[in-house]
Amino acid sequence: MSADKPVAGSAVTPPLRAKRYKVGRQDIVLGDCLRALRRMQAESVDVIVTSPPYNIGLSYRSYPDRREENDYLDWMVQVATELQRVLKADGSFFLNISGSSAQPWLPFELVVRLRDLFVLQNHIAWVKSISVGEDSFGHFKPMNSQRFLHRGHEHLFHFTLKGDVALDRLSAGVPYKDKTNIARRGHRQDRRCRGDAWFIPYETVRGRAEKFDHPGTFPIALPEQCILLHGKQKARVLDPFMGTGTTLLAAQRLGCSGMGMEIDAEYVAIARARLMHDLVNSPLG
Ligand SMILES: C[S@@+](CC[C@H](N)C(=O)[O-])C[C@H]1O[C@@H](n2cnc3c(N)ncnc32)[C@H](O)[C@@H]1O
């Protein structure tokens, strides 16, 4: 099959023409995100929530997740430059990324490169499993090593254009543990800020199929909390590395419209099926 020229920076040669789909208020592009982003209107997005390939050798269906480090970082900066262009002045960009024991610096190298484009307004730790005293919560993925600790968290960087975006901390917040705080400190409701460590474990699954045969999904609560924290009703949400559509599913459940981009046709099919199933079965549908 003939194909377009590879997009500079992209590791996969995208299909001749991007395909577009719509499920309810969610738009999906099957194609290269850099190319699709360049066609988007400037300042048209309220919230970006995305988890790009981490360049740590995960087995995606078509994307080769191990590139020369500088190529990878250059490509990420190109994508982030477009994200900066499409983000509204009061928008939020949540970037979920992690390193590996072999590449511990990578997320930090990337974030330093993004300094010219964004202000780092918050740095959230997405905690996937944790031990508290003698107890433990979340899924423990054993690591056979004398040197490295079990990796229980990932980064969630919250970027904005100027660092001055007001958030709805209580929408994404939690009730007070000590209820006397409410009257004593004059709070109007039983809700406080969640803080910057978010414990969001994966749901228990019995096989890869239940994870949609995708090696790097995030739980829906993660994009949900990001969208709630940004706090805009009916926000326009974007995920340029949509995978199985988790961000769009969160957008749909919160009454937002979304745009997702994904290079792999199989993952796009899964995302469409998830959104359709949710639309038919949810009260919003
Ligand atoms: C970490 S995964 C995202 C998973 C997603 N958060 C979910 O919950 O399903 C990154 C995705 O980026 C996709 N991808 C890689 N290169 C791309 C490109 N140039 N344009 C769009 N998507 C791309 C991969 O196929 C992969 O599905």
Side-chain angles (χ1 to χ4, degrees), residues 4 11 15 22 54 68 73 98 130 142 154 160 165 176 182 195 197 218 220 223 242 253 274 276-277 282-283:
D4 269 357
K22 198 166 182 69
Y54 295 175
E68 199 280 311
L73 290 169
S98 180
I130 192 164
E154 297 197 6
T160 57
V165 174
Y176 280 96
I182 305 166
F218 47 42
I220 187 166
M242 176 192 73
R253 288 187 182 173
R274 286 179 84 190
M276 190 58 83
H277 180 267
S282 82

Side-chain angles (χ1 to χ4, degrees), residues 214-232:
H214 188 291
T217 60
F218 47 42
I220 187 166
L222 187 134
E224 263 173 4
Q225 268 173 218
C226 295
I227 297 167
L228 285 171
L229 183 61
H230 184 69
K232 197 168 249 176

Side-chain angles (χ1 to χ4, degrees), residues 32-33 51 60 63 214 216-218 241-242 244 246 262-263 267:
D32 175 65
C33 64
S51 177
Y60 295 110
Y63 175 81
H214 188 291
T217 60
F218 47 42
F241 297 101
M242 176 192 73
T244 60
T246 315
E262 169 58 50
I263 200 106
Y267 297 153

